[in-house]
Amino acid sequence: MMPFITSTAPCRLNSQIAAFFDLDNTILPGEASEVRFFRWLWQRGVVGWPEAQASLAWLMRHLPSLSLHPLRERKLYMAGKPAQVIEPLGEEFCREQLCPCVSPTAMRTIEEHRSAGHLIVLLTGSLDFLIDPIATALQVDRCFANRLEQVDGVYTGHLVPPLPYGAGKRRLIEQLAQDLTLDLSLCYAYGDSPGDLDLLRAVGYPTVVNPIRGMARVAKQQKWPVARWH
């Protein structure tokens, strides 16, 4: 099952063109939303040293050449937490801390695509309940985000595949293109990091936004435009 958030926006399903947007450091410049959320939970005593130590221990056991990918696959700081407690906190955090930080340039770009009749699609490795208010406020047509596995209403710390990161983003948009008869050669994509590389390569009009971790060099090699959204 796709990690899908239903939008309240009317879908322009007759369009062959979509604009795909990453969230962290793209629509939302700066530090990753989940890092900010962890700090926010820490300040409120919802998480603490046990959760931080569990995540660090997992990372050290699965650390391939300084990659943070193992932490993207497991959310151990959420393990054992009841969803009915965490999800309202996530929505509160997003409305108070994230929504005001959305890039005005990103909003203008989204509106330009919407005015052109393009589908607006958000793909993010952040958690679904954490970014749902942003997706709703931006009236995106589709939003793919990570979902936490639950057993009896309690998070296990595992994510429900597929993960909207790296090659997972490409698989998701290819499936969406098939379902909605999109022409990816006419589509647009915006992303900042190597985790967006497969997404950017899949469309006809990629743009690297706020490049990090070598993406400025990649953009130059590929002759992709680079944008700065603040």
Side-chain angles (χ1 to χ4, degrees), residues 109-128:
T109 304
I110 288 171
E111 286 308 312
E112 288 169 1
H113 283 290
R114 200 191 319 274
S115 297
H118 302 163
L119 291 167
I120 308 300
V121 182
L122 180 62
L123 298 106
T124 174
S126 192
L127 299 173
D128 54 359

Side-chain angles (χ1 to χ4, degrees), residues 5 23 29 70 76 86 106-107 110 112 138 140 153 205-207 212 227:
I5 298 173
L23 178 74
L76 292 181
I86 296 297
M107 288 190 285
I110 288 171
E112 288 169 1
L138 293 176
V140 303
Y205 299 98
T207 297
I212 59 172

Side-chain angles (χ1 to χ4, degrees), residues 20-28 30-32 68-69 72 123-126 164-167 169-170 189-201 206-219 222 224-229:
F20 301 103
F21 292 85
D22 174 50
L23 178 74
D24 285 330
N25 199 44
T26 305
I27 287 177
L28 192 68
E31 194 173 34
L68 293 178
H69 192 61
R72 295 189 181 98
L123 298 106
T124 174
S126 192
Y165 178 81
K169 284 191 175 183
R170 180 166 190 152
Y190 301 87
D192 71 308
S193 72
D196 299 310
L197 196 49
D198 289 277
L199 168 65
L200 295 167
R201 285 174 171 160
T207 297
V208 177
V209 178
N210 301 337
I212 59 172
R213 291 165 35 212
M215 284 300 289
R217 182 178 65 254
V218 172
Q222 299 293 326
W224 292 342
V226 174
R228 300 286 177 179
W229 292 357

Side-chain angles (χ1 to χ4, degrees), residues 58 72-76 78-79 127 146-151 155-161 163:
W58 169 261
R72 295 189 181 98
E73 296 177 339
R74 294 287 301 275
K75 307 295 180 182
L76 292 181
M78 287 294 185
L127 299 173
N146 272 323
R147 290 188 297 124
L148 284 164
E149 180 186 67
Q150 297 182 32
V151 175
Y155 295 132
T156 66
H158 293 274
L159 293 171
V160 179
L163 306 187

Side-chain angles (χ1 to χ4, degrees), residues 3 19 29 35 45 49 81 85 89 98 137-139 141 145 150 159 161 164 167 182 188 206-207 209 216 221 230:
V35 172
W49 284 112
K81 300 288 191 298
V85 172
L89 290 174
L98 298 184
L138 293 176
Q139 294 186 306
D141 296 298
Q150 297 182 32
L159 293 171
L182 301 175
Y188 298 77
T207 297
V209 178
Q221 292 171 345
H230 303 288

Side-chain angles (χ1 to χ4, degrees), residues 27-53:
I27 287 177
L28 192 68
E31 194 173 34
S33 55
E34 204 172 336
V35 172
R36 303 184 204 192
F37 184 48
F38 182 89
R39 185 185 304 116
W40 190 82
L41 292 176
W42 183 291
Q43 292 169 347
R44 282 154 181 75
V46 180
V47 299
W49 284 112
E51 290 84 359
Q53 289 168 346

